[in-house]
Amino acid sequence: MSKTMSQKILAKAAGQPSVNVDDIFWVNIDKAMMDDVLGPRIEIDDRLKELGATVWDPGRVVIISDHYTPPANEKQANVVKFTRDWAKENNCKNYYEFCGPCHQVMVEKGHVLPGEVIVGTDSHSCTYGALASFGTGIGSTEMAGVLATGQTWMRIPSTVKIEWNNSLAPLVMAKDISLRTIKEIGHSGATYQTIEYCGSTVSNLNMDERLCLTNMAVEAGAKAGLIGYDSVTAEYLRAFGVTGDFSWVNSDPDAEYSSVYAFDSSSLVPQVSCPYEVDNVIDLTEMEPVVIDQAYIGSCTGGRYTDLFLAAQLLKGKKIAKGLRLLVSPASREIYNRCLKDGVLDILADAGAVILASSCGACLGIHSGALADDEICISTTNRNFLGRMGSKKSKVYLASSVSVAAAAITGKIVDPRVI
């Protein structure tokens, strides 16, 4: 019987010739990722000690301090120190600090390969599906079990097929695809399912843009977000010395899907997600201008090179609106250095942007740009829940990097194509 990507990857991990939707199996884990916030300090260390267990394979464990770096206070500094010390004590040599949000670091450091099952203590671990791996978030207690055994049980998810075809208009990005998809599915429309993105539009996206798509799959409730292995994936992996044919992971042409959505990219216009739900999405062409206090370009969703480069193209030779702050946090140290070398950061800084360290900080309102009462922010991040980026009296709108740049120039949320 024909199978989807999820079924093929999880069958291999379960040591089964074939699996069906809703089957439950113990699966072998290829990589386990922990961050500082939901990593060793949250039950994991205590649980392992209670079990008398050690880490099953330190070489398969990746630990990334990103939420609390650079630490903004003593509490955050102690969490990062605990995480650093724990990694050393448990011989986990894949430890990264001050390198950027965990999901970008995972792919940049070559820890994600097609066909792997990767679990992480962060809900946006579904990002790894851009490289045709089954990435998913788990809780800290479950992670303790994974660290002790190298396995976890999983119910085989059904798959929602999302097909986008034709060419995107100028200044329309993957973030717009993602937001429009979530609007159509709803914030719980793909609960415990895989979202599989396909179609000619997706095939023509670079890896930066693909990572944005799979990153936000969880905002529709998905267990994982996947994009098939192709020449773009192969080219990206060659930078890490990875070759070989991984096309076995791709869904069979006649695989069975729980539902199928088809979209025409040529008619897509810039999108914006309004407070306080990610699926509260409208076309920017239909939105009345909203005056903002802060514009933010960054995070594991919208701080990649493509995001910063396109924002800089729009901002070049211009200045941000008076009284507005534009904060930019490249999604990794590598992206920061590339943008520095290519002059992207110079353009952004000349326009009035404040360049921040590569971090999760502002995305979840813990440092580097938290919002005050009644402030309004437009952001390239992935969530706009009540109080997400600071005060519960603030408001967050989500959009692409070019839409955020346009808002920074005008001081209000507008269609970037009118700038």
Side-chain angles (χ1 to χ4, degrees), residues 107-114 131 229 233-246:
V107 297
E108 281 187 356
K109 299 299 183 181
H111 295 301
V112 178
L113 296 176
L131 272 72
Y229 171 85
T233 328
E235 182 180 358
Y236 189 86
L237 291 171
R238 275 196 291 271
F240 308 105
V242 177
T243 58
D245 184 6
F246 294 93

Side-chain angles (χ1 to χ4, degrees), residues 289-295 319-325 376 378 404-414 419:
V290 174
V291 176
I292 61 171
D293 301 284
Q294 177 171 299
K319 296 291 183 181
I320 64 172
K322 186 176 181 180
L324 173 82
R325 55 189 184 272
I376 296 175
I378 184 170
V404 171
I409 294 167
T410 62
K412 52 192 176 183
I413 301 174
V414 295
I419 301 302

Side-chain angles (χ1 to χ4, degrees), residues 257-274:
Y257 296 92
S258 59
S259 55
V260 177
Y261 293 79
F263 300 94
D264 180 1
S265 299
S266 64
S267 62
L268 183 66
V269 300
Q271 305 287 293
V272 61
S273 172
C274 305

Side-chain angles (χ1 to χ4, degrees), residues 39-100:
R41 74 182 183 101
I42 304 294
E43 295 190 354
I44 292 172
D45 184 58
D46 290 340
R47 297 296 184 196
L48 286 177
K49 288 176 179 176
E50 288 174 7
L51 293 169
T54 57
V55 176
W56 104 99
D57 187 345
R60 293 181 180 271
V61 177
V62 185
I63 304 173
I64 303 167
S65 289
D66 57 353
H67 288 64
Y68 286 165
T69 55
N73 52 49
E74 181 182 359
K75 176 184 176 182
Q76 293 182 7
N78 281 325
V79 169
V80 174
K81 181 179 184 300
F82 182 93
T83 307
R84 181 192 310 126
D85 292 345
W86 192 93
K88 184 176 181 180
E89 291 166 4
N90 288 273
N91 198 33
C92 297
K93 300 185 185 302
N94 295 317
Y95 175 75
Y96 303 93
E97 184 178 309
F98 294 92
C99 290

Side-chain angles (χ1 to χ4, degrees), residues 122-139:
D122 186 280
S123 59
H124 293 99
S125 297
C126 50
T127 304
Y128 315 139
L131 272 72
S133 66
F134 190 94
T136 192
I138 61 174

Side-chain angles (χ1 to χ4, degrees), residues 60 91 103 167 171 203 240 262 316 386 414:
R60 293 181 180 271
N91 198 33
H103 308 305
S167 299
L171 301 184
S203 296
F240 308 105
K316 190 172 184 177
L386 183 69
V414 295

